[in-house]
Amino acid sequence: MNDLNMAAAVAGQIEAGPSLIDRITNISDFIWGGTWDGAEVLPFPPMVIILLGVGLYMMIGLRFYPLRQLGSAFAGLFTGRKGSGSGEISPFAALSTALSGQVGTGNMAGVATALALGGPGAIFWMWVTALIGMALAFAEGSLAIRFREKGPEGHWRGGPMTYIVKGLGPKWTWLAILFCIGTLCSTIITGNVIQANAVADSMNELFGIQEWLGGVIAAVAVFIVIIGGIKSIGAVAEKVVPLMAAAYIAMALLAILLDIRDIPETFGRIFGGAFSAQSAAGGFVGAGIMLALRAGVARGLFSNEAGQGTTPMAHAVAQTDDPRVQGRMAMLGTFIDTVVICTMTALVILTVEGDFVGNGQAVKHAWQSDLTGFAMTSGAFAAAFPTQIGGVAIGSVVASIALILFVFSTLLTFSYYGERAITFLYDRVPGANARGEKILHMAWRVIWCFGVVIGASQPLQLVWRLGDISNAFMALPNLLALALLSGVVFKIARGEKPAALV
């Protein structure tokens, strides 16, 4: 065989074999769907069972505390605007910071994905998983306060890496390190590259600017905020998040009111289709309603990030000495993200009527059409508000601006999550000191903004799948820690002061 034929044979073998993206897709599908090469390997999705299993265990152990205390949690929105204990920012600012990471592309595109996969019944399962997620969120928020620490410069900090080491003991440091490695992978992939790409695409659609330029604009805006650290991020989040969430909810309500006569039919579809096998699968996709956008089961369950381990890093800096206070704030974040904001998106998609096409036929609603992801949400808003500005429907403009704001806030918060992870790893290095931490923080913030510029124009098919895997890698150590520290969480809910398990 001559060299040319050998080269052709090798090329043929390479083409016939699985590509890198095929291998990564299989790993992602197995973790989140129990399938390999499109065929069912396990009768249940492993990560879905683990998340819901730990969540149900926490909910039962808490004696449904998150549901019983939901009213007190909402009251805390007003009393928590001023801190009453140690910490860096008010409990409300900490909630706003966590929400700025939770509320993102998943709230707009993740819901559409759930509806596309499971139909209207998916929304029922979205609500169920959100309520279970509230138990995980309470555990994370309360443990974040119970086991937080002061850094070399006297600033409070915490998160899963801290409650693992302080709650379970130094012998569990390896688990905290695994969590931090997973956090770095997840923040860079899902919290930076994917979010930067989404904001650049929206700027391109709205203003016609090139994606790389949109990335530069976003990076500069992000740097201006994150240069001041968590206090600066919290100050911006406290002002921006409530405003953008309220504005989005108001626009969604107005869109729904325009077709209010379809609301009974919409809820009939939700409850009627909730228990079919197809809608249940889709419901789990949409139930995690957020970080930056995830398609499929993985991105849905993590849209509110309950159990992932991100939000306790924000809640740990709250100015309160009562773990229950911030635990309630944390579970409220899950409720607002999923039950409120995602439900608004779902009702717009399910209720608003327009001229849509599905499988070559005219259909009434966006969820019945060939549109997918954010295009489905944008199409529904465009049908509700069809008046055009510069050739673009007002509804599409509203949806795109909302997406830009949601993604921008996610970029801010996830930069801090990555900073916390890399700081914990640095502190394990012999000779680590306060000056080194300060230099590390500045370097990380600069690198983060360069990542925004680079990610703005990257193809995302492979990145999405890597994000799914890194999210699982991040969540598993945290879920194990929550299960092992469940006794502490149950005592906190009862008002007791548990000791560390060291």
Side-chain angles (χ1 to χ4, degrees):
M1 181 181 292
N2 59 38
D3 291 343
L4 185 60
N5 289 337
M6 288 181 65
V10 171
Q13 290 176 0
I14 292 174
E15 290 177 3
S19 64
L20 175 62
I21 193 169
D22 288 335
R23 293 188 179 96
I24 292 175
T25 296
N26 278 334
I27 295 172
S28 173
D29 287 346
F30 177 77
I31 293 172
W32 290 101
T35 64
W36 193 275
D37 284 333
E40 183 179 284
V41 177
L42 296 176
F44 51 82
M47 275 304 298
V48 173
I49 295 301
I50 293 171
L51 270 167
L52 295 182
V54 177
L56 277 171
Y57 168 70
M58 298 299 293
M59 181 66 82
I60 294 171
L62 287 168
R63 299 176 185 176
F64 299 92
Y65 179 93
L67 302 182
R68 292 187 289 109
Q69 294 296 320
L70 186 58
S72 297
F74 272 104
L77 287 177
F78 304 97
T79 59
R81 290 183 178 270
K82 290 186 178 181
S84 59
S86 304
E88 304 299 318
I89 56 180
S90 71
F92 179 78
L95 169 62
S96 297
T97 302
L99 266 175
S100 70
Q102 291 170 288
V103 178
T105 51
N107 296 78
M108 304 186 75
V111 174
T113 300
L115 288 169
L117 291 176
I123 304 307
F124 174 85
W125 297 107
M126 174 186 77
W127 296 334
V128 170
T129 53
L131 295 178
I132 293 172
M134 287 171 62
L136 293 171
F138 175 82
E140 291 175 316
S142 59
L143 289 175
I145 295 295
R146 174 65 182 84
F147 294 114
R148 62 184 174 178
E149 64 182 8
K150 276 189 176 182
E153 295 183 328
H155 299 306
W156 287 98
R157 63 190 187 184
M161 66 286 283
T162 308
Y163 57 66
I164 287 172
V165 174
K166 295 188 68 176
L168 297 176
K171 65 182 179 180
W172 289 89
T173 299
W174 63 271
L175 187 66
I177 291 174
L178 283 180
F179 171 80
C180 288
I181 294 173
T183 299
L184 284 174
C185 294
S186 180
T187 53
I188 291 170
I189 296 170
T190 63
N192 187 306
V193 176
I194 291 175
Q195 306 299 328
N197 195 277
V199 75
D201 283 345
S202 294
M203 287 185 180
N204 176 266
E205 181 179 345
L206 278 180
F207 310 115
I209 61 177
Q210 295 185 18
E211 291 180 342
W212 70 267
L213 181 57
V216 171
I217 294 172
V220 171
V222 167
F223 186 76
I224 291 173
V225 178
I226 68 174
I227 191 66
I230 186 59
K231 288 187 177 181
S232 177
I233 295 172
V236 172
E238 188 176 21
K239 296 176 178 66
V240 173
V241 172
L243 180 62
M244 73 179 187
Y248 181 73
I249 292 170
M251 290 301 296
L253 283 173
L254 182 56
I256 294 166
L257 288 173
L258 294 175
D259 288 287
I260 190 68
R261 63 186 181 282
D262 287 341
I263 283 293
E265 180 184 358
T266 294
F267 279 98
R269 283 174 172 159
I270 291 173
F271 290 106
F275 298 98
S276 71
Q278 183 181 7
S279 65
F284 288 123
V285 172
I289 316 198
M290 160 222 156
L291 269 154
L293 173 63
R294 305 177 181 101
V297 174
R299 288 179 287 281
L301 271 172
F302 269 126
S303 70
N304 59 39
E305 299 174 28
Q308 187 176 350
T310 50
T311 60
M313 288 183 266
H315 289 292
V317 299
Q319 293 169 332
T320 179
D321 296 319
D322 186 348
R324 288 181 300 175
V325 168
Q326 211 57 33
R328 288 194 294 268
M329 283 288 190
M331 73 185 198
L332 188 60
T334 297
F335 184 88
I336 292 172
D337 174 83
T338 305
V339 179
V340 178
I341 298 178
C342 287
T343 298
M344 289 295 101
T345 300
L347 292 179
V348 170
I349 295 173
L350 288 169
T351 305
V352 172
E353 296 183 3
D355 297 323
F356 300 102
V357 177
N359 295 322
Q361 303 291 325
V363 293
K364 288 172 55 178
H365 303 288
W367 70 274
Q368 299 167 322
S369 72
D370 295 328
L371 296 173
T372 60
F374 176 70
M376 182 186 293
T377 304
S378 179
F381 273 99
F385 308 108
T387 303
Q388 295 196 346
I389 300 178
V392 181
I394 290 178
S396 292
V397 173
V398 169
S400 295
I401 291 176
L403 182 64
I404 290 173
L405 289 174
F406 287 172
V407 170
F408 174 71
S409 65
T410 299
L411 284 166
L412 299 180
T413 303
F414 269 74
S415 71
Y416 176 70
Y417 295 158
E419 184 177 300
R420 280 290 300 118
I422 201 169
T423 300
F424 181 87
L425 295 175
Y426 169 77
D427 288 343
R428 311 273 82 73
V429 177
N433 54 54
R435 182 173 180 274
E437 270 196 17
K438 195 169 184 178
I439 295 173
L440 180 67
H441 292 168
M442 181 59 65
W444 170 260
R445 293 164 192 173
V446 172
I447 292 171
W448 183 264
C449 293
F450 272 112
V452 173
V453 176
I454 295 170
S457 55
Q458 294 301 307
L460 292 184
Q461 186 180 7
L462 178 62
V463 177
W464 275 121
R465 294 298 188 168
L466 288 171
D468 290 344
I469 296 170
S470 65
N471 286 336
F473 187 28
M474 179 182 181
L476 286 172
N478 181 55
L479 290 168
L480 176 58
L482 292 180
L484 293 174
L485 289 168
S486 59
V488 177
V489 176
F490 301 155
K491 288 182 178 180
I492 288 174
R494 294 195 298 267
E496 302 175 19
K497 290 186 177 180
L501 301 182
V502 292

